[in-house]
Amino acid sequence: MRILYHLPLCPFSRKIRLIMAEKRLSFELMTEAVWKKRDEFLSMNPAGTVPVLVEETGLAICDSYAISEYLEEAYPDTLLMGRTLAERVEVRRLVAWFDDKFNREITRNLLFEKMFKRLFGNSNPNAQALREGYQNIKFHLDYIAYLAENRVWLAGNNLSIADFAAAAHLSSLDYIGDINWDKYPMVKDWYVRIKSRPSFRALLNDRVSGVVPPKYYADLDF
Amino acid sequence: MRILYHLPLCPFSRKIRLIMAEKRLSFELMTEAVWKKRDEFLSMNPAGTVPVLVEETGLAICDSYAISEYLEEAYPDTLLMGRTLAERVEVRRLVAWFDDKFNREITRNLLFEKMFKRLFGNSNPNAQALREGYQNIKFHLDYIAYLAENRVWLAGNNLSIADFAAAAHLSSLDYIGDINWDKYPMVKDWYVRIKSRPSFRALLNDRVSGVVPPKYYADLDF
């Protein structure tokens, strides 16, 4: 059986889970406590990060960028990156937007500070980081609203990994109650469409001990 | 004429310049002072980062990940990402290693702090960042030495964008004198092979006003 090493609230792992579910690829989820730096895990992925996908052949694929490109090449029946060069350019621009810029400006400042920092042996959340995260999220939600208002899906007419990258970050932040949906109805409309997909169900069932998500977290009609 | 918006010491721009030169694609270089947040540039790339490639058709491709994947798909005569799925997995793992991990642990701590921070209106280099950068670089040079000792090129038997990503970061750090080549002969051997390629010449001719590189920076036999 295919194995995906992940962490429940890791947006990069969530993006890969969504892509694999959309491509109807079965896999077993293994939670990897990356802060423990397990030797067997580091020998597969020297960077020590999740997600890592291990195929039944034994091929280990590290890093969410490499995994998403691999899945698109190895399992092309359901294409999630667009077909023309121009479509693929836009999908990848937005994936970089969410996994690089959004991650650096928001996810690291909020999710990492609140949920993961202590596990890595660091101190309490940094107040300056939290302030920056809450400031930046407004700009980013405005940008997603702009895309959602002008396009069927974030990158254009077709559902793509740009939607999954965005939804992965937002869903993890939603678990800790950091998304004010009522202020962004266009973002909420788009998110409801993604959240209602069968591929999303497993993410909504994730629970992390000690942290209870808001009531609407797993609600499809919130 | 194709245009590449770049900054002379930006490793992400350098990686794309190397790939385009290896694929024998002609282009005009335009220096973009990203900290000025020029409206026309932001309308092409809302993230406000370089590199951005503009094709003669007008298609603008933003982000070095999207550009490198685009170049491989649009100009497949010279393939630089490997041919088999397993080769491509390893090339992309290493590109992520250098553009994400190496960048975060070294390039941002040294190059950004010393060269770019002031341009963005920030203060002097942060001493803690510099300490971390100099500490991290040893681990990373050991890892590159390990790869160079066990493989023909960093990702395996073939030259790939993994080599260009690594060389782009190292060459920018070399410009500010932060690489101690004598301590890492295997890394130096590999770098001499990359540095001697015609595609590298333009990078070695870059000069940034006010900062003189070490004498050996452009020397092919250093």
Side-chain angles (χ1 to χ4, degrees):
Chain A
M1 177 68 122
R2 227 177 257 120
I3 296 174
L4 183 71
Y5 293 87
H6 86 131
L7 279 169
L9 293 187
C10 161
F12 299 92
S13 305
R14 289 187 154 213
K15 179 183 73 180
I16 300 301
R17 290 163 71 188
L18 291 170
I19 294 171
M20 292 180 73
E22 291 284 338
K23 287 180 180 276
R24 298 173 193 274
L25 301 172
S26 57
F27 59 99
E28 196 179 318
L29 269 181
M30 294 275 271
T31 299
E32 180 66 35
V34 294
W35 49 90
K36 293 189 179 164
K37 301 182 188 240
R38 201 165 55 87
D39 283 345
E40 296 90 329
F41 185 70
L42 289 177
S43 71
M44 271 196 311
N45 183 12
T49 54
V50 285
V52 172
L53 173 64
V54 181
E55 287 279 24
E56 281 181 347
T57 59
L59 178 67
I61 307 125
C62 309
D63 186 85
S64 89
Y65 146 57
I67 298 173
S68 62
E69 295 287 340
Y70 166 81
L71 291 172
E72 195 74 354
E73 292 176 356
Y75 305 102
D77 283 352
T78 307
L79 285 178
L80 295 171
M81 281 201 194
R83 288 172 186 275
T84 68
L85 284 172
E87 284 169 4
R88 294 162 75 77
V89 158
E90 181 62 359
V91 170
R92 287 178 175 131
R93 177 184 79 81
L94 287 173
V95 170
W97 178 280
F98 291 107
D99 284 349
D100 181 18
K101 187 175 174 70
F102 188 105
N103 181 58
R104 190 163 19 85
E105 297 178 352
I106 301 170
T107 309
R108 284 193 72 85
N109 283 331
L110 300 180
L111 192 72
F112 181 80
E113 288 291 330
K114 291 186 189 180
M115 294 291 297
F116 290 114
K117 201 175 178 184
R118 243 169 298 185
L119 299 169
F120 285 92
N122 291 313
S123 50
N124 288 326
N126 178 297
Q128 173 67 14
L130 296 179
R131 256 195 311 276
E132 285 180 19
Y134 288 122
Q135 192 56 42
N136 294 335
I137 203 168
K138 295 174 200 164
F139 161 75
H140 275 276
L141 288 169
D142 280 340
Y143 187 59
I144 299 172
Y146 161 81
L147 295 173
E149 197 164 354
N150 288 284
R151 299 168 171 188
V152 183
W153 295 100
L154 295 190
N157 287 328
N158 300 306
L159 178 72
S160 76
I161 66 165
D163 297 284
F164 299 131
H169 284 275
L170 289 184
S171 67
S172 293
L173 291 163
D174 195 32
Y175 188 97
I176 59 172
D178 276 351
I179 309 288
N180 185 344
W181 297 107
D182 292 341
K183 273 194 153 175
Y184 300 90
M186 294 304 298
V187 179
K188 187 175 169 179
D189 280 1
W190 159 81
Y191 188 66
V192 165
R193 281 188 287 142
I194 285 269
K195 195 176 175 177
S196 307
R197 297 183 73 81
S199 62
F200 219 88
R201 196 138 326 138
L203 274 59
L204 300 177
N205 290 334
D206 281 352
R207 288 297 175 276
V208 175
S209 66
V211 185
V212 180
K215 279 201 185 112
Y216 56 79
Y217 170 72
D219 193 348
L220 297 185
D221 184 25
F222 62 111
Chain B
M1 178 68 121
R2 224 176 259 121
I3 296 174
L4 183 71
Y5 293 87
H6 86 131
L7 279 169
L9 293 187
C10 160
F12 299 92
S13 305
R14 290 189 155 210
K15 180 183 71 179
I16 299 302
R17 290 163 72 188
L18 290 170
I19 294 171
M20 291 181 72
E22 291 283 339
K23 287 180 181 277
R24 298 172 191 277
L25 301 171
S26 57
F27 59 99
E28 196 181 317
L29 269 181
M30 294 275 271
T31 299
E32 180 66 34
V34 293
W35 50 90
K36 293 188 180 164
K37 301 182 188 238
R38 200 164 57 87
D39 284 344
E40 296 91 328
F41 186 69
L42 289 178
S43 71
M44 272 197 309
N45 183 13
T49 55
V50 285
V52 171
L53 173 64
V54 181
E55 287 279 24
E56 281 180 347
T57 58
L59 179 67
I61 307 125
C62 309
D63 187 85
S64 90
Y65 145 58
I67 299 173
S68 62
E69 295 287 339
Y70 166 81
L71 291 171
E72 196 73 354
E73 291 176 357
Y75 305 102
D77 283 354
T78 306
L79 285 178
L80 295 172
M81 281 202 195
R83 286 171 188 275
T84 68
L85 284 171
E87 283 169 5
R88 294 162 76 76
V89 158
E90 181 62 359
V91 169
R92 288 180 174 128
R93 178 184 78 83
L94 287 173
V95 170
W97 178 279
F98 291 108
D99 283 350
D100 181 18
K101 188 176 174 68
F102 188 104
N103 181 58
R104 191 162 19 87
E105 297 178 353
I106 301 171
T107 309
R108 284 193 73 84
N109 283 330
L110 300 180
L111 192 72
F112 181 80
E113 288 292 330
K114 291 186 190 181
M115 293 291 297
F116 290 113
K117 201 176 178 185
R118 243 168 298 185
L119 298 169
F120 285 92
N122 291 313
S123 50
N124 288 325
N126 178 298
Q128 173 67 13
L130 296 179
R131 257 195 310 276
E132 284 180 20
Y134 288 121
Q135 191 56 40
N136 295 335
I137 204 169
K138 295 175 199 163
F139 161 75
H140 274 277
L141 288 169
D142 279 341
Y143 188 59
I144 299 172
Y146 161 81
L147 295 173
E149 195 163 357
N150 288 283
R151 299 168 172 188
V152 183
W153 295 99
L154 295 190
N157 287 329
N158 300 305
L159 178 71
S160 76
I161 66 164
D163 297 283
F164 299 131
H169 284 274
L170 289 183
S171 67
S172 293
L173 291 164
D174 195 32
Y175 188 98
I176 58 171
D178 276 351
I179 309 287
N180 185 344
W181 297 108
D182 292 342
K183 271 194 154 176
Y184 299 91
M186 293 304 297
V187 180
K188 186 175 171 179
D189 280 1
W190 159 81
Y191 188 66
V192 166
R193 280 188 287 141
I194 286 269
K195 194 176 176 177
S196 307
R197 298 183 71 83
S199 62
F200 219 88
R201 197 141 322 140
L203 274 59
L204 299 177
N205 290 333
D206 282 351
R207 288 295 177 275
V208 175
S209 68
V211 185
V212 180
K215 278 198 186 118
Y216 56 79
Y217 171 71
D219 193 346
L220 296 184
D221 184 26
F222 62 111

